[in-house]
């Protein structure tokens, strides 16, 4: 039996998580990851317990981060209080399915503690094609998550020609 630990990452550990994300998205820069993740981790906290946004990670027995997701909580027109999770990575060479199950359990536990009415899990094309392809989606579906639509994306250029932050994975759809 594996002894995996669920941890909410703090700003000082975000850099350790970068190799997992880069394994899924080789074009991702460290600066982009740190800016995005810090915006989640450093968000003001309204109450005791889990933050309204952040990075949840799974550590293996040696203390290495082997899986993670990012999340934020907000009000949704249809569902009420909504937890949106994305940027799933479960990269354990020996047993990615166990890590995916641990992430799924952490996601549901977090939703309950944040008093959410629903959870949206965004599985990107890179996650569906990368190492352990489809494992996270399969685990979530087995735990009762339903396929409720599709996320369409069009990258746009800001004035001046730079890509917008949402085009680089920085924004959850509303």
């Amino acid at each position: 039996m594996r002894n995996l630990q669920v941890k909410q990452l703090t700003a000082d550990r975000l850099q350790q998580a970068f190799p997992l994300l880069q394994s899924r998205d080789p074009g991702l820069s460290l600066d982009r990851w740190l800016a995005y993740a810090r915006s989640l981790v450093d968000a003001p906290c309204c109450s005791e317990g889990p933050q309204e946004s952040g990075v949840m990670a799974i550590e293996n027995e040696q203390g290495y981060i082997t899986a993670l997701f990012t999340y934020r909580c907000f009000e949704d027109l249809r569902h009420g209080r909504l937890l949106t999770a994305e940027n799933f990575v479960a990269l354990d060479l020996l047993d990615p399915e166990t890590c995916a199950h641990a992430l799924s359990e952490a996601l549901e536990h977090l939703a309950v503690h944040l008093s959410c009415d629903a959870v949206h899990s965004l599985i990107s094309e890179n996650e569906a094609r990368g190492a352990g392809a489809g494992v996270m989606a399969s685990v979530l579906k087995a735990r009762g998550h339903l396929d409720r639509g599709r996320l369409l994306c069009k990258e746009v250029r800001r004035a001046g020609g730079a890509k917008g932050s949402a085009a680089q994975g920085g924004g959850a759809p509303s």
Side-chain angles (χ1 to χ4, degrees):
M1 175 65 99
R2 303 280 311 266
N3 184 20
L4 302 175
Q5 301 292 315
V6 177
K7 305 255 176 135
Q8 186 156 1
L9 291 187
T10 53
D12 62 317
R13 298 219 39 221
L14 294 174
Q15 195 163 345
Q16 294 173 20
F18 178 67
L20 268 76
L21 289 145
Q22 197 173 43
S23 74
R24 188 197 71 206
D25 185 1
L28 181 66
S29 72
L30 176 61
D31 289 340
R32 178 70 187 125
W33 161 245
L34 291 176
Y36 172 72
R38 283 184 182 129
S39 75
L40 298 174
V41 170
D42 293 341
C45 191
C46 301
S47 62
E48 295 291 321
Q51 288 183 228
E52 301 268 317
S53 65
V55 181
M56 294 299 285
I58 304 296
E59 286 185 355
N60 67 11
E61 296 82 355
Q62 291 77 34
Y64 293 109
I65 300 169
T66 61
L68 64 81
F69 65 84
T70 61
Y71 72 92
R72 54 183 93 188
C73 195
F74 56 92
E75 288 298 315
D76 178 71
L77 179 62
R78 171 171 283 178
H79 298 293
R81 192 155 165 80
L82 178 69
L83 177 64
T84 297
E86 58 186 328
N87 301 305
F88 288 93
V89 182
L91 188 63
D92 185 289
L93 298 176
L94 300 175
D95 192 3
E97 193 167 333
T98 298
C99 286
H101 277 284
L103 279 181
S104 177
E105 290 173 14
L107 178 61
E108 291 177 24
H109 183 76
L110 183 62
V112 168
H113 277 67
L114 290 172
S115 301
C116 293
D117 300 304
V119 175
H120 282 181
S121 299
L122 304 175
I123 307 293
S124 75
E125 185 177 308
N126 282 348
E127 291 160 281
R129 283 186 288 147
V135 172
M136 195 70 228
S138 295
V139 167
L140 289 170
K141 286 179 182 180
R143 293 181 63 90
H145 294 245
L146 304 174
D147 215 340
R148 290 282 173 100
R150 289 199 282 176
L151 172 67
L152 303 177
C153 176
K154 177 182 178 182
E155 291 188 3
V156 296
R157 303 265 177 208
R158 293 180 185 165
K163 283 186 189 178
S165 63
Q168 296 178 10
S174 49

